Amino acid sequence: MFFLETCFWLLASSAAVLAVEADDGHKRVHLRTHSLTSPYLDSDMQSRWWDFGGDTVIRADQYIRLTADRPSQTGWIFSRVPLTATNWEIEVEFSITGAHNLYGDGMAMWLTKQRAQSGQVFGHVDKFEGLGIFFDTYKNNRPGVTFPYVMAMMGDGQTEYEKHTDGKANELDGCSARGIRNTHIPTKALVTYFADKNLTVALQYKNEGEWTQCFSIANVKIPSVAYLGFSAETGELSDNHDIISVEARNMYQPVSGSSDSTRTGNRGGNRRGKGRTKEGGSWGGFFVKLILFIMLTEYGGADFNLADAAELQHHAALAARARRGDYDEDLILEQLARNRVFLTPDGLASLRSASVAIIGCGGVGSHACVALARSGVASIRLVDFDQVTLSSLNRHAVATLADVGTPKVHCLRRRLEQIVPWCHFDCRNELFSVEAAQRLLGEVKGVGGERVGRKVDWVVDAIDNIDSKVALLKYCSENGLKVISSMGAGCKSDPTRVLVGDISASIEDPLSRATRRRLRAQGVTSGIPCVFSTEKPGPGKAELLPLPDEEFEKGDVGELGVLPDFRVRILPVLGTMPAVFGLAAANHIILEITGYPHDYLASKAREKMYEGIQAQVQGLEEKIARARGFDAIGLKLPLTVGDVGYLVEEVYYGRSAISGVPTRLALARWRKPPEGYFDTSVEGQKSVKLKLDELVLMTKEEMAKHEREVLNGSKTLEEMYSKDVLDTVRLRVEEEKHYSRWR
């Protein structure tokens, strides 16, 4: 087991395909395993190479916040695999900001044997073994030293950090860095290490592109197995401590000769600008292949040999010829014979001429892709920014150990070219966004790669990121693109509960509810078929734990995951369920394209009920106005049928906020209308000021009593209702205010 883990560490730490030679005579190889860039997380809302803990908050489009500007916080991030490169450099962009004149405590960069442990030394454990570089912003007792102060300490696993003297007794070297906080330019640190020889730290905080050497220390020996990490801590004083990006690079000399351990060259971006890129062909590449060979043969995988490589090359060449038309049509029809009989020749012809875009190529998307390709779809566009991970092998349709670390879109293409060589795969290894929608869902290519002057016929939404999902579905709805959306397969286990129906009919699905609510707020209420599960949560079933109340006090945690009440966590997924969802989505597309008869699941069909509730609100508002001496004839309300449906279904889940009863529903003002609510400012028009978060769902009987006792009576809400009811309404109103930003 140790050997296998070691192989994975070495393989992961050597994962790079390009070498860049800079003007200091060293080549640099990007270390993906120890680098971090936005959005920081993969499509599973995890990070395959990093762990996060403490008070750390991830804002995928901006930063990783180790601590917020609040007292008594600690946060950390640590690599999952050790940094095994002999010589390396790490460039980290960070930000220390705050609104106060007094601030602290600071943050640290670590290369230690210990990992992912909270403690008292800038958020990490004391008595550490390895290197700590401290960005100390609060001066305890260092006479004659200007703070903020950057210093290095080499821990031996036994020596404590002297916090009361700001580490004076432990310091290897350091420098003052006044102005490193609240800078107007990107703040960066560049740490360069030549094994057992030299450690250099340079800072950028005065002017962009201007690097200042902080210190250079000779004869430094960092443990050969050390984890890269960052941590921060606040005490009574506080600051925001953010990590923006981390870029780790292995360094080596392309020719024989000893390296100049003190030569660091031009620091920062201009190094890469002067470098030249070439295909890697070093001993590192040889060892990667050797390790992979040993792993696959020793632990049950297929032998990696030249015959396998030749076979892959043969399939790629065959696929290229087939896409150009150099493939026997009779062979294709024989391979698709069962589909041809089932769907009829005309139906199969429609399928073969169709183009499908699959957005998200993980568990759901990969199974949908395989089913569509095997069924005859000859043009498939694959869109996914992510790579295959070890943890995704339990649910991916075709990925193997050899595919780990490769883009999911190309993994699918390579495997399926061996099954349907005539199919054209248009691979886009990028994240879907509104800005890229036109390009990613625009003109398709024919089987031979030629432009055919039309958009994709169908889109499979297999995204599990809420923002991207909503953006995709809204774009498809507005642009007339047919789309089927897969809702949450996580925490589901009953395949008999998986249905295909309109998004307005989806129930017992948190992802569906969040998506539906955001779409409804933007005017999209129905017309999008989706795959969802009606399985209810229950005792003993997998679930995501809700955040405790104190987590909500730390910030807008609703931005961090699929649901407002969940921080970024590992999503429990039974490997079979994404396959069920993906196959159901593919099946629906096949039936739609070929015109095969099928019964679409009926939606809730509650439009008439919404119209009735709208009329009831109109009547109630007229009665309230007359009770206050206003002429209510011709009164207009700022409330549409869509608004009513949104409140009933998405805010109150179709149940009375007072009793939970789901029948004979009505909407009513929760509080008495304020002075000036009756508006006659426009000549010839009478209206009332009424916001959606002022309306509460209740039964008609409860509404009549509420009108009599509260709206037109003398009772207060506290006198009328229990604390539980008041809390329920308060939470629903706050939730609606949160979602109102998308309206």
Side-chain angles (χ1 to χ4, degrees):
M1 188 65 178
F2 173 77
F3 173 75
L4 180 60
E5 291 178 352
T6 303
C7 287
F8 272 120
W9 286 349
L10 292 173
L11 180 61
S13 297
S14 303
V17 295
L18 294 177
V20 177
E21 185 175 336
D23 55 4
D24 62 358
H26 289 90
K27 284 188 176 180
R28 288 164 169 79
V29 179
H30 175 70
L31 296 175
R32 182 168 54 88
T33 53
H34 293 80
S35 299
L36 266 174
T37 55
S38 176
Y40 310 116
L41 304 171
D42 58 30
S43 59
D44 294 327
M45 302 305 289
Q46 306 173 50
S47 172
R48 74 176 57 81
W49 302 123
W50 297 82
D51 285 325
F52 309 85
D55 296 306
T56 299
V57 169
I58 302 172
R59 178 68 182 266
D61 61 335
Q62 293 186 22
Y63 52 68
I64 297 173
R65 177 152 290 172
L66 302 175
T67 67
D69 191 359
R70 298 185 181 91
S72 304
Q73 290 206 328
T74 59
W76 52 261
I77 60 173
F78 263 90
S79 65
R80 291 184 172 179
V81 297
L83 181 60
T84 57
T86 304
N87 307 317
W88 48 258
E89 65 180 10
I90 298 171
E91 183 175 323
V92 54
E93 181 180 348
F94 61 96
S95 175
I96 303 176
T97 59
H100 312 290
N101 292 325
L102 295 175
Y103 43 87
D105 283 337
M107 57 181 288
M109 172 179 168
W110 304 96
L111 277 152
T112 58
K113 287 187 175 182
Q114 299 82 5
R115 64 176 296 276
Q117 301 177 46
S118 296
Q120 299 301 313
V121 183
F122 298 94
H124 188 42
V125 293
D126 204 351
K127 297 183 180 180
F128 56 88
E129 185 172 356
L131 174 68
I133 299 176
F134 309 139
F135 300 79
D136 195 346
T137 57
Y138 181 75
K139 186 174 183 178
N140 287 301
N141 186 17
R142 285 289 297 268
V145 175
T146 301
F147 276 64
Y149 190 74
V150 180
M151 62 161 279
M153 171 182 172
M154 186 62 67
D156 58 8
Q158 299 178 351
T159 303
E160 293 183 352
Y161 170 76
E162 291 187 4
K163 196 168 186 176
H164 64 284
T165 63
D166 298 307
K168 180 179 180 180
N170 318 115
E171 180 180 354
L172 293 176
D173 205 345
C175 70
S176 296
R178 175 180 288 178
I180 204 169
R181 178 180 179 269
N182 284 339
T183 62
H184 63 283
I185 66 165
T187 312
K188 296 182 179 181
L190 181 67
V191 183
T192 307
Y193 175 68
F194 290 91
D196 304 335
K197 294 181 180 180
N198 180 271
L199 174 74
T200 302
V201 174
L203 303 173
Q204 173 188 284
Y205 65 94
K206 297 177 181 178
N207 296 295
E208 191 164 2
E210 178 184 331
W211 289 85
T212 303
Q213 181 166 305
C214 182
F215 55 78
S216 183
I217 310 170
N219 302 319
V220 174
K221 185 177 179 62
I222 297 175
S224 58
V225 176
Y227 296 90
L228 174 63
F230 301 88
S231 66
E233 176 185 26
T234 64
E236 294 181 3
L237 304 178
S238 60
D239 260 337
N240 297 313
H241 296 95
D242 302 334
I243 299 295
I244 312 300
S245 66
V246 179
E247 184 175 353
R249 297 180 283 265
N250 186 11
M251 296 196 305
Y252 64 95
Q253 286 189 314
V255 295
S256 60
S258 60
S259 63
D260 182 358
S261 64
T262 62
R263 188 177 182 183
T264 57
N266 292 329
R267 290 169 168 79
N270 56 351
R271 171 192 294 117
R272 292 185 295 281
K274 296 182 180 180
R276 67 177 186 269
T277 302
K278 59 175 69 176
E279 299 261 341
S282 64
W283 280 99
F286 168 78
F287 282 117
V288 169
K289 295 175 183 177
L290 177 62
I291 292 166
L292 184 60
F293 171 82
I294 295 172
M295 287 168 55
L296 294 180
T297 55
E298 188 73 17
Y299 291 90
D303 291 349
F304 183 82
N305 50 45
L306 293 177
D308 293 330
E311 184 178 0
L312 288 174
Q313 188 174 7
H314 166 73
H315 283 297
L318 176 62
R321 292 199 308 272
R323 289 194 297 271
R324 292 194 299 266
D326 185 13
Y327 198 88
D328 195 326
E329 177 68 11
D330 290 339
L331 291 179
I332 298 176
L333 292 178
E334 176 63 24
Q335 185 169 335
L336 300 174
R338 299 301 176 94
N339 272 10
R340 190 182 185 202
V341 173
F342 191 96
L343 299 171
T344 75
D346 289 342
L348 181 61
S350 297
L351 196 61
R352 291 184 62 190
S353 65
S355 175
V356 178
I358 299 175
I359 317 299
C361 298
V364 173
S366 64
H367 282 279
C369 179
V370 170
L372 290 168
R374 287 180 180 272
S375 298
V377 176
S379 177
I380 299 177
R381 180 172 294 167
L382 303 172
V383 180
D384 197 310
F385 75 98
D386 204 6
Q387 289 123 2
V388 177
T389 65
L390 281 172
S391 64
S392 64
L393 295 183
N394 81 314
R395 58 195 180 278
H396 200 277
V398 299
T400 68
L401 272 174
D403 296 309
V404 172
T406 64
K408 291 179 179 178
V409 292
H410 293 299
C411 168
L412 276 168
R413 174 187 57 79
R414 284 196 305 271
R415 298 288 176 247
L416 289 176
E417 280 180 346
Q418 301 176 41
I419 302 170
V420 285
W422 62 83
C423 183
H424 177 78
F425 294 98
D426 182 6
C427 296
R428 308 293 182 92
N429 187 202
E430 59 183 291
L431 181 70
F432 179 85
S433 64
V434 175
E435 294 75 20
Q438 176 61 36
R439 177 169 49 82
L440 295 178
L441 300 177
E443 188 177 10
V444 301
K445 296 180 180 179
V447 175
E450 73 280 1
R451 295 186 178 276
V452 296
R454 61 181 174 84
K455 295 181 179 179
V456 295
D457 298 295
W458 270 89
V459 178
V460 177
D461 163 32
I463 304 174
D464 53 13
N465 172 270
I466 186 67
D467 290 329
S468 300
K469 195 176 197 72
V470 171
L472 171 62
L473 296 178
K474 187 171 187 290
Y475 180 87
C476 290
S477 177
E478 291 178 342
N479 290 273
L481 288 176
K482 296 178 181 178
V483 60
I484 183 167
S485 178
S486 172
M487 296 302 163
C491 302
K492 305 296 185 182
S493 60
D494 187 350
T496 67
R497 300 280 184 174
V498 178
L499 302 175
V500 177
D502 191 83
I503 191 169
S504 63
S506 56
I507 56 175
E508 300 300 338
D509 189 327
L511 178 59
S512 173
R513 181 181 298 124
T515 304
R516 189 177 63 233
R517 186 167 185 174
R518 290 267 293 270
L519 286 171
R520 187 184 286 269
Q522 298 180 53
V524 181
T525 59
S526 62
I528 298 176
C530 65
V531 183
F532 63 96
S533 172
T534 61
E535 181 180 356
K536 297 177 181 291
K541 291 187 176 182
E543 62 179 5
L544 287 172
L545 299 177
L547 289 172
D549 291 341
E550 56 267 22
E551 290 294 316
F552 286 92
E553 299 173 1
K554 298 173 184 176
D556 192 1
V557 298
E559 296 292 337
L560 304 178
V562 171
L563 302 175
D565 292 355
F566 293 87
R567 201 185 272 276
V568 177
R569 301 172 185 272
I570 294 176
L571 183 67
V573 181
L574 186 62
T576 54
M577 294 306 290
V580 175
F581 277 63
L583 293 174
N587 186 81
H588 183 78
I589 289 176
I590 292 169
L591 300 183
E592 286 283 326
I593 290 176
T594 60
Y596 193 88
H598 59 287
D599 295 326
Y600 196 76
L601 188 69
S603 66
K604 296 180 182 179
R606 302 179 78 172
E607 290 296 320
K608 289 187 177 180
M609 183 185 76
Y610 303 152
E611 292 173 359
I613 293 177
Q614 184 191 35
Q616 162 263 308
V617 176
Q618 176 77 34
L620 178 60
E621 287 299 313
E622 289 176 0
K623 289 176 64 177
I624 294 173
R626 286 195 295 270
R628 284 157 176 74
F630 296 111
D631 179 8
I633 297 176
L635 181 66
K636 298 183 181 298
L637 299 185
L639 185 72
T640 67
V641 172
D643 293 333
V644 172
Y646 174 76
L647 288 171
V648 172
E649 306 295 349
E650 314 304 343
V651 179
Y652 292 101
Y653 308 147
R655 294 179 179 273
S656 164
I658 297 173
S659 62
V661 173
T663 57
R664 291 179 56 79
L665 297 174
L667 285 169
R669 285 182 182 269
W670 188 234
R671 302 180 183 278
K672 289 183 178 181
E675 293 293 330
Y677 90 104
F678 197 89
D679 186 4
T680 57
S681 59
V682 178
E683 185 177 355
Q685 175 179 295
K686 290 173 284 187
S687 63
V688 294
K689 296 176 182 178
L690 181 64
K691 296 180 180 178
L692 293 191
D693 58 19
E694 295 175 327
L695 292 170
V696 173
L697 190 66
M698 56 189 74
T699 65
K700 291 181 179 179
E701 291 77 15
E702 291 164 349
M703 180 204 69
K705 184 177 180 181
H706 184 76
E707 176 198 354
R708 183 175 62 253
E709 301 290 343
V710 177
L711 299 180
N712 291 328
S714 59
K715 283 190 176 181
T716 64
L717 293 173
E718 289 72 21
E719 293 172 338
M720 187 73 176
Y721 299 109
S722 67
K723 183 178 182 300
D724 288 343
V725 171
L726 295 174
D727 288 344
T728 297
V729 173
R730 177 180 55 80
L731 289 173
R732 293 287 186 267
V733 170
E734 289 176 355
E735 202 174 66
E736 158 55 20
K737 289 179 179 178
H738 169 79
Y739 279 96
S740 65
R741 77 179 89 174
W742 292 291
R743 293 188 64 81

